[in-house]
């Protein structure tokens, strides 16, 4: 029997609706695979920010530090600026715990129609590896001359040899374990300092991984190819901003943003890693009980894999696949009428 202590941060909106299903699935699969979980829930959110003036307490990271992993729903609430929710919770956790890899797998499941005619089930099975702690999302910069005609804003992108190399190393090794193909997202024709540096480091890592065939594409062309020919990709590695955009696009190609999972990984395991669906708090549907819990449940499966339970992780993704392939139970975002709870019950039944 292994026991894992998991921090739960449901957050706001549908984050609070999709985490309970993920927890139910973890408990059910744990029973069959000899894994027990102790959960500690934290109410860190925009609601807390409105109430107490901060997304999380000052010692928030210390409370999480001894947990085996963190499962997060989504944060964001109309009335709290998005940069407050992001920089007050998600980014401090990602950076404080050196979760420098953001892993975002996506597939077209049997039984789910991609909006693209050319993307059939089985063809599309790719992973976006997003650099998660530096790049374009940097605190370096500032505003000058506020309120004057010469008002200005400067934001510096930060690419370090250590930071880029370690995420590329992760991506090349992952490609080696998958189909051996890697694509690097760049824009070194327009961004003339940081991205040529990125390209050089890709070539360096590529030389160290002869088992991987790699190429690079400018982000604009790459976005078009995600739509026109998503099946050609295996592992796609990208900077923080490019990876953020590409992974939402990949999720949409696979049918809906609500199905996509993500893992914020500290590969060295010095700190807990964090698992969360790609989607946000969806204020437009929050409170109606119709959010698709698939992204959160798939994220819980990624967590099981990270914690050393590949069998349990596969059982969860297989149950998700079976619901889609063998039943017509779907939440409204996938064209069905099922509630969050009905979809979750079907997953539990087929697990
Ligand atoms: P969003 O992902 O919340 O919603 C985009 C669209 O997809 C909406 O129409 C929503 O109803 C739909 N959708 C998303 N997840 C769904 C699910 N599980 N089931 C069914 N439909 C789903 O993105 P949006 O609207 O740009 O942002 C809303 C808030 O969420 C903002 O405050 C934003 O800052 C925050 N956000 C938080 C993230 C996080 O916590 N990691 C990530 C993205 C956005
Ligand atoms: Mg995003």
């Amino acid at each position: 029997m292994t026991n894992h202590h998991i921090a739960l941060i449901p957050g706001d909106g549908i984050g609070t609706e999709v985490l309970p299903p993920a927890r139910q699935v973890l408990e059910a699969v744990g029973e069959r695979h000899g894994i027990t979980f102790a959960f500690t829930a934290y109410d860190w959110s925009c609601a807390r920010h409105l109430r107490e003036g901060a997304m999380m307490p000052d010692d928030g990271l210390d409370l999480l530090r001894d947990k085996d992993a963190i499962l997060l729903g989504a944060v964001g609430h109309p009335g709290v600026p998005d940069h407050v929710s992001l920089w007050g919770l998600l980014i401090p956790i990602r950076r404080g715990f050196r979760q420098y890899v953001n892993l975002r797998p996506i597939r077209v499941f049997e039984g789910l129609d991609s909006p693209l005619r050319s993307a059939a089930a089985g063809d599309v099975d790719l992973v976006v590896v997003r650099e998660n702690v530096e790049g374009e999302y940097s605190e370096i910069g500032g505003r000058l001359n506020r309120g004057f005609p010469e008002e200005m804003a400067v934001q510096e992108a930060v690419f370090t040899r250590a930071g880029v190399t370690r995420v590329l190393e992760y991506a090349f090794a992952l490609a080696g374990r998958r189909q051996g193909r890697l694509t690097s997202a760049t824009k070194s024709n327009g961004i003339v300092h940081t991205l040529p540096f990125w390209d050089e480091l890709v070539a360096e890592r590529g030389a160290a991984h002869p088992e991987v065939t790699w190429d690079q594409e400018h982000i604009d062309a790459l976005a078009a190819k995600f739509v026109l020919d998503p099946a050609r990709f295996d592992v796609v590695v990208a900077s923080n901003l490019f990876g953020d955009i590409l992974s939402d696009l990949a999720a949409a190609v696979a049918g809906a943003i609500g199905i996509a999972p993500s893992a914020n990984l500290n590969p060295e395991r010095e700190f807990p890693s964090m698992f969360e669906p790609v989607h946000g708090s969806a204020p437009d549907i929050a409170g109606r009980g119709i959010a698709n819990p698939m992204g959160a449940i798939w994220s819980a499966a990624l967590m099981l894999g990270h914690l050393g339970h590949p069998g349990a992780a596969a059982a969860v993704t297989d149950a998700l696949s079976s619901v889609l392939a063998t039943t017509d139970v779907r939440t409204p975002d996938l064209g069905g009428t099922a509630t969050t709870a009905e979809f979750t019950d079907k997953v539990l039944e087929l697990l």
Side-chain angles (χ1 to χ4, degrees):
M1 208 66 163
T2 38
N3 183 54
H4 294 297
H5 197 167
I6 308 299
L8 292 178
I9 308 177
D12 300 294
I14 65 166
T16 63
E17 300 171 38
V18 296
L19 267 213
R23 176 181 176 161
Q24 275 178 282
V25 169
L26 281 172
E27 284 174 332
V29 75
E31 245 171 62
R32 285 179 197 69
H33 287 79
I35 313 162
T36 56
F37 298 97
F39 293 99
T40 305
Y42 299 93
D43 69 345
W44 305 346
S45 56
C46 292
R48 185 184 188 279
H49 187 273
L50 291 170
R51 221 171 45 235
E52 301 177 37
M55 297 291 297
M56 64 173 166
D58 288 343
D59 63 347
L61 290 194
D62 291 326
L63 295 171
L64 300 176
R65 201 174 295 279
D66 64 334
K67 306 297 183 291
D68 294 308
I70 304 158
L71 198 56
L72 183 130
V75 292
H77 184 73
V80 177
D82 285 342
H83 69 267
V84 169
S85 47
L86 194 60
W87 286 87
L89 183 71
L90 286 179
I91 290 191
I93 295 174
R94 289 174 182 167
R95 298 199 174 180
F97 291 153
R98 293 181 177 246
Q99 295 164 348
Y100 61 82
V101 172
N102 191 284
L103 192 72
R104 299 182 163 194
I106 205 71
R107 329 185 199 153
V108 173
F109 286 91
E110 187 186 341
L112 268 199
D113 285 333
S114 165
L116 306 181
R117 270 168 310 171
S118 59
D123 285 356
V124 178
D125 181 353
L126 63 89
V127 182
V128 176
V129 176
R130 164 185 172 192
E131 199 293 317
N132 209 28
V133 298
E134 53 174 53
E136 303 87 348
Y137 294 3
S138 122
E139 289 156 277
I140 298 178
R143 301 265 300 256
L144 267 183
N145 299 320
R146 279 176 197 258
F148 291 99
E150 61 271 37
E151 183 168 0
M152 62 177 281
V154 173
Q155 178 132 16
E156 301 287 355
V158 176
F159 287 72
T160 66
R161 172 172 280 277
V164 175
T165 298
R166 66 188 175 187
V167 75
L168 293 176
E169 178 55 33
Y170 184 90
F172 272 100
L174 179 67
R177 294 194 300 276
R178 287 174 51 100
Q179 300 163 46
R181 290 185 287 127
L182 178 140
T183 303
S184 164
T186 188
K187 190 65 193 172
S188 43
N189 55 350
I191 314 275
V192 297
H193 300 299
T194 49
L195 290 176
F197 181 47
W198 170 278
D199 292 353
E200 283 166 35
L201 296 175
V202 171
E204 260 182 47
R205 282 299 91 206
H209 288 273
E211 76 283 12
V212 176
T213 313
W214 64 272
D215 60 1
Q216 60 185 50
E217 294 275 1
H218 292 308
I219 185 67
D220 41 356
L222 185 54
K225 284 179 184 165
F226 260 46
V227 173
L228 294 174
D229 191 11
R232 65 180 272 172
F233 298 106
D234 177 18
V235 172
V236 180
V237 66
S239 65
N240 210 334
L241 174 64
F242 291 170
D244 192 4
I245 299 170
L246 278 181
S247 50
D248 276 34
L249 177 59
V253 163
I257 192 177
I259 74 171
S262 81
N264 303 271
L265 297 176
N266 172 245
E268 291 76 23
R269 296 165 193 265
E270 303 159 285
F271 302 101
S273 293
M274 177 164 70
F275 301 82
E276 52 170 331
V278 165
H279 64 76
S281 55
D284 54 336
I285 58 160
R288 291 167 52 197
I290 55 163
N292 187 346
M294 219 182 125
I297 294 172
W298 193 354
S299 300
L302 294 177
M303 185 181 87
L304 287 168
H306 176 77
L307 292 174
H309 307 292
V316 172
T317 45
D318 287 350
L320 290 173
S321 303
S322 314
V323 173
L324 298 173
T326 65
T327 80
D328 55 10
V329 177
R330 280 151 187 52
T331 45
D333 57 314
L334 299 179
T337 55
T339 62
T340 309
E342 286 162 356
F343 184 90
T344 307
D345 286 345
K346 200 41 114 180
V347 175
L348 291 168
E349 187 190 312
L350 297 184
L351 190 65

